[in-house]
Amino acid sequence: MAALQEYKCPCCGGAIEFNSEVQKMKCPFCDTEFEMEALKSFDEDLKLDASDEMNWDTKPGSEWSSGESDGIQSYVCKSCGGEIIGDENTAATSCPYCGNPIVMMGQVSGMLKPDFVIPFKLNKESAVMHFNNHLKGKKLLPKVFKEQNHIEEVKGVYVPYWLFDADVNARMRYKGNKVSTWSDSKYIYERTDHYSITRGGRVSFDNVPVDGSSKMDDTLMESLEPFDFTDAVSFQTAYLAGYMADKYDVSADDSINRANTRVKNSTVALFGNTVRGYSGVTTESSSIALSNGKAKYALYPVWVLNTTWKEKQYIFAMNGQTGKLVGDLPMDKSLATSYFFKAAGLAAGIVFLIQFLLWFI
Amino acid sequence: MKKILSALSILFLVSLMPLASYASPKLLVDEADLLTDEQEMTVLKELETVSADTGMDVAVLTVESIGDKSPMEYADDYFDYNGYGQGPDRSGVILLIAMESRDWYISTRGRAIDCLSDSQISEIGSGMNLSSGDYEGAFLFYAGDVKYDYELMLYTEEQNALNGGRGPFNPVPKIVISLIVGLIAGLIYRGVLKGQLKSVRANGGAMDYTRKDSFEVSEQRDIFLYSTTSKTAKPEPSSSSSSSSHTSTHTSSSGATHGGGGGKF
């Protein structure tokens, strides 16, 4: 005698039985009928549901060999507590985070050697030009902001990043439906076909960046992306000359969560895009498994400008490789209000005129 | 000469006789004898005045029984086959009172259809208060209301003609709409300008970092599970219209178009 197999109803979750009248599997609770094959396939899919497995092998960076870190000086800002490093040729006098003076502390210590660096592709003039462009055409920008900016004080800083590589194996299960409607003289009909949809496969990610400095706002840094790793080179101390670098204070282990979230979101989106032709889709379960998860430590180039205006701090950052510039600008409230009224008045006038003409003709 | 003149005058008088046979039928026919002779005279006088003023026959018919016919058929047929109605349209309205079945019915033809809408007819029905037994009052009310509705129709037509058929110019709703649209437009425009100032946004995904050609879907299954069908009944088109200007019409046995309505009392 074969073992009794109990199947769950995909519609309401109750136990399904074979109904001899209709010669199909039928759920006694919700009255829905199913083909045997469909139930078996669905059941198999359910069994394969698993939870995420996202583990990394994090040993980024390396130890300095002797003498390598001799030329690197460490500075500290008494005002905001920021720690910067620069090489002996860097004339670092003010803090890139808050603009206040910094003090040299002596030789750098307690820091791993970076694996890679993307050198600065764009120089200070370019940064100034990009910044001026950023201010153009912003109708609500207060007029005096531009003048009070001290753009010349923009600083080139290497920001520490943890870069994550991984091969991802994913399995997603969805519920989808297709709706069709038609009508005759008496009724409007609506038929909903329900499907169980499975997608599985793999995708690989390289160099997903997570900002390793708590002083540089993570959202600001993410807005600067993408950085193109093809320009990266093995780290040499000489690259620091003339620029400041930020010392990391967030460990790789602590940055993993952000990397996981981003990898998972993209994986879900990629597979989700392959589900087409349905009126509605909901995700039932997803399992993401990482393998070969590696982390690297790199320095990425960023031009930073700090401005204080009307008691508020504004920080602007430009990607030193691509030139992308981001930074939220202040708003002139009275200008905003006056534009609101101008637009509202114009629209109201036009609409009234149209109504009047329609009445006339 | 005298003979020719008198012959001609006789001919003339004789030629007038056919015209006499086209004279309007009696506007008040009280077969059910609901009114005294004196009341009949009052009502008839009122009906004749209104008929002359409005240019359409305004008539009243009372009977004991209408037999198997419906009140609508009876009233329509009585109107059509007894020569009621003025002008080429045969404009007119007749009020039928059937005592045995306690029906009242108002049938309209020609201009009277435009003049009396379904709701106006219904109002006359309730305003007459036939159950009280005061038939003289009811018929006078009927005649008065027909005259009032006629004059209301003339006034509305005059107003429409002045405005080229559009109704009077009412700026208030137009101003309200303009202000609302203006408000929305202003908010949208300001929102857009504000958005220009913001450029800092988190990057929730890692799409920029996917390795080229590494994305592969190795498993793909779409399994049909089950189907559900639901049906909803279509709403009935409303048979009674509540708009005050709507008049429903039908065709009577003589082929003429009539409007009208009735009830019980």
Side-chain angles (χ1 to χ4, degrees), chain A residues 45 193 198 202 225 266 278, chain B residues 166 206 209 216 221-222 227:
Chain A
D45 277 352
D193 293 331
T198 315
R202 58 183 172 86
E225 290 182 33
S266 286
Y278 292 94
Chain B
R166 284 182 309 267
Y209 305 101
E216 188 189 309
R221 288 213 286 189
D222 292 43
S227 188

Side-chain angles (χ1 to χ4, degrees), chain A residues 54-195:
Chain A
M54 303 181 86
N55 301 315
W56 300 86
D57 169 23
T58 54
K59 294 243 168 354
S62 56
E63 296 299 324
W64 300 94
S65 37
S66 65
E68 251 190 313
S69 63
D70 284 351
I72 301 181
Q73 309 285 346
S74 148
Y75 302 76
V76 84
C77 172
K78 296 286 188 201
S79 171
C80 69
E83 271 188 86
I84 329 251
I85 58 171
D87 91 324
E88 51 213 358
N89 298 318
T90 305
T93 48
S94 50
C95 174
Y97 311 122
C98 68
N100 290 308
I102 51 175
V103 173
M104 201 186 299
M105 292 297 284
Q107 285 233 308
V108 70
S109 65
M111 181 182 140
L112 286 170
K113 177 178 163 183
D115 298 311
F116 296 98
V117 62
I118 295 183
F120 271 87
K121 242 184 170 172
L122 298 165
N123 61 15
K124 189 168 177 183
E125 274 150 25
S126 175
V128 169
M129 185 193 77
H130 274 92
F131 188 76
N132 281 325
N133 281 342
H134 187 67
L135 296 182
K136 281 197 192 145
K138 307 281 197 286
K139 287 206 165 88
L140 296 187
L141 186 66
K143 300 273 183 287
V144 291
F145 186 75
K146 201 166 169 187
E147 287 128 40
Q148 297 180 354
N149 240 311
H150 316 289
I151 299 183
E152 291 305 308
E153 288 179 18
V154 67
K155 297 172 191 54
V157 179
Y158 280 109
V159 179
Y161 275 90
W162 304 112
L163 305 180
F164 296 92
D165 298 344
D167 294 327
V168 175
N169 268 291
R171 207 172 162 278
M172 319 275 306
R173 189 165 62 81
Y174 310 86
K175 263 215 174 127
N177 56 50
K178 291 188 191 169
V179 178
S180 47
T181 51
W182 70 95
S183 60
D184 59 26
S185 53
K186 284 218 212 117
Y187 296 98
I188 303 174
Y189 299 88
E190 189 181 271
R191 190 181 85 199
T192 314
D193 293 331
H194 296 260
Y195 291 81

Side-chain angles (χ1 to χ4, degrees), chain B residues 15 30 32 34 46 52-53 58 66 71 106 124 156 158 163-164 169 174 177 184 199 207 210 226 235 243 255 258:
Chain B
S15 71
D30 186 17
L34 303 174
E46 178 66 9
D53 287 344
V58 181
I66 53 173
I106 291 176
I124 296 178
T156 315
E158 212 182 285
N163 295 318
F169 179 68
K174 294 182 175 56
I177 293 176
I184 296 173
S199 47
M207 286 304 218
T210 56
Y226 61 96
S243 127
H258 281 263

Side-chain angles (χ1 to χ4, degrees), chain B residues 6 14 22 27 58 63 72 117 150 179 198-199 261:
Chain B
S6 55
V14 165
Y22 288 130
L27 292 176
V58 181
V63 294
M72 178 173 87
S117 72
Y150 175 79
L179 284 177
K198 285 232 175 301
S199 47

Side-chain angles (χ1 to χ4, degrees), chain A residues 29 36 65 69 105 133 151 156 168 212 215 224 230 247 295 325 345 348:
Chain A
F29 302 103
M36 196 63 206
S65 37
S69 63
M105 292 297 284
N133 281 342
I151 299 183
V168 175
K215 288 253 157 249
L224 284 182
T230 51
K247 203 173 149 189
L325 200 154

Side-chain angles (χ1 to χ4, degrees), chain A residues 45 184 186 188 190 192-194 196 198-200 202 204 206 222-223 225 262 265-266 278 327-328 359, chain B residues 166 196-197 199 201 203-206 209 211 214 216 218-219 221-223 225-228 230 232 234:
Chain A
D45 277 352
D184 59 26
K186 284 218 212 117
I188 303 174
E190 189 181 271
T192 314
D193 293 331
H194 296 260
S196 169
T198 315
R199 294 282 183 275
R202 58 183 172 86
S204 296
D206 288 324
E222 279 182 13
S223 310
E225 290 182 33
R262 293 179 65 175
N265 285 344
S266 286
Y278 292 94
D328 288 339
W359 178 85
Chain B
R166 284 182 309 267
Q196 277 183 345
L197 298 174
S199 47
R201 268 168 220 109
N203 190 348
Y209 305 101
R211 192 181 304 158
S214 69
E216 188 189 309
S218 51
E219 193 192 332
R221 288 213 286 189
D222 292 43
I223 306 167
L225 290 176
Y226 61 96
S227 188
T228 53
S230 69
T232 45
K234 283 182 162 174

